[in-house]
Amino acid sequence: MAELVDRAAQVPADAGLTLITHVHIGRDDDLARLWTALAPAAVFGMRPFTAGETAAMKHANIAVVLPSPEQSGHDVGSTLWLNGVGRLPAQYLIGKGHTRLAYVLPDDPRLRALDQGRAEGAAQACAEAGLPVPIVSTIPLDTAAAETVAGWRQPPAAVCAYNDEVALALLAGMRKLACGTGCPGGPARRRRSR
């Protein structure tokens, strides 16, 4: 994400503008105050905007909004925007012959709109392939992920992770489950006496 922001900042900088980033936690009134204070020339969201956000941008006379307000409803553009990222890894794994998938999401409430869109994309890919709906799990970004993996009634053949951090937490949790107390770097294994 940092590399994306760095690259995206170059284009407006060349035009004499400044890119400002903001992590939104889902309250429309916070964004409305931000837009009023900054008077941005354009707003780009990593997800479609809600009706309230769109109204506040219109009120603030923001000229360019991406994705456009027309794509912020439940139309084809919005669906592709929200679930395309979830569909691609599921299609890849299905193409490799996996028939039981899971989709693992972070436990960060700020990402809820993106989470659900990605999980829906994976579910659509499974439905199109005639496969069961993937197991959807939310995990913390630490080895407590082992509890999530242990709770799967029927382990999936393959897992789609929301991002690299989620994948690493999942792998750490799986390692913790598989190793118990005897993995290198983990707690020492008790030696049995003969």
Side-chain angles (χ1 to χ4, degrees), residues 129-153:
L131 299 176
V133 174
I135 300 164
V136 177
S137 297
T138 302
I139 65 169
L141 297 181
D142 58 28
T143 57
E147 296 169 10
T148 299
V149 176
W152 286 341
R153 295 173 112 180

Side-chain angles (χ1 to χ4, degrees), residues 21-63:
T21 61
H22 171 73
V23 177
H24 179 49
I25 59 170
R27 292 180 42 196
D28 290 349
D29 56 335
D30 288 343
L31 284 180
R33 283 194 297 274
L34 182 67
W35 292 324
T36 301
L38 294 177
V43 174
F44 171 78
M46 296 301 287
R47 59 160 177 79
F49 295 102
T50 66
E53 292 166 346
T54 301
M57 286 185 283
K58 185 175 181 179
H59 180 72
N61 295 318
I62 297 171

Side-chain angles (χ1 to χ4, degrees), residues 123-193:
Q124 288 172 2
C126 287
E128 290 166 4
L131 299 176
V133 174
I135 300 164
V136 177
S137 297
T138 302
I139 65 169
L141 297 181
D142 58 28
T143 57
E147 296 169 10
T148 299
V149 176
W152 286 341
R153 295 173 112 180
Q154 196 174 27
V159 178
C160 302
Y162 177 86
N163 60 16
D164 291 346
E165 288 83 8
V166 170
L168 290 171
L170 181 65
L171 289 171
M174 292 170 71
R175 181 173 186 267
K176 182 178 177 182
L177 275 179
C179 296
T181 59
C183 282
R189 179 183 294 197
R190 281 190 208 172
R191 295 181 188 216
R192 293 184 184 180
S193 54

Side-chain angles (χ1 to χ4, degrees), residues 65-86:
V65 177
L66 296 172
S68 68
E70 293 78 34
Q71 292 179 330
S72 293
H74 294 288
D75 62 8
V76 174
S78 177
T79 301
L80 290 174
W81 182 264
L82 286 173
N83 70 25
V85 175

Side-chain angles (χ1 to χ4, degrees), residues 90-101:
Q91 287 174 330
Y92 174 81
L93 293 171
I94 292 165
K96 292 292 184 183
H98 298 290
T99 58
R100 283 189 335 273
L101 302 182

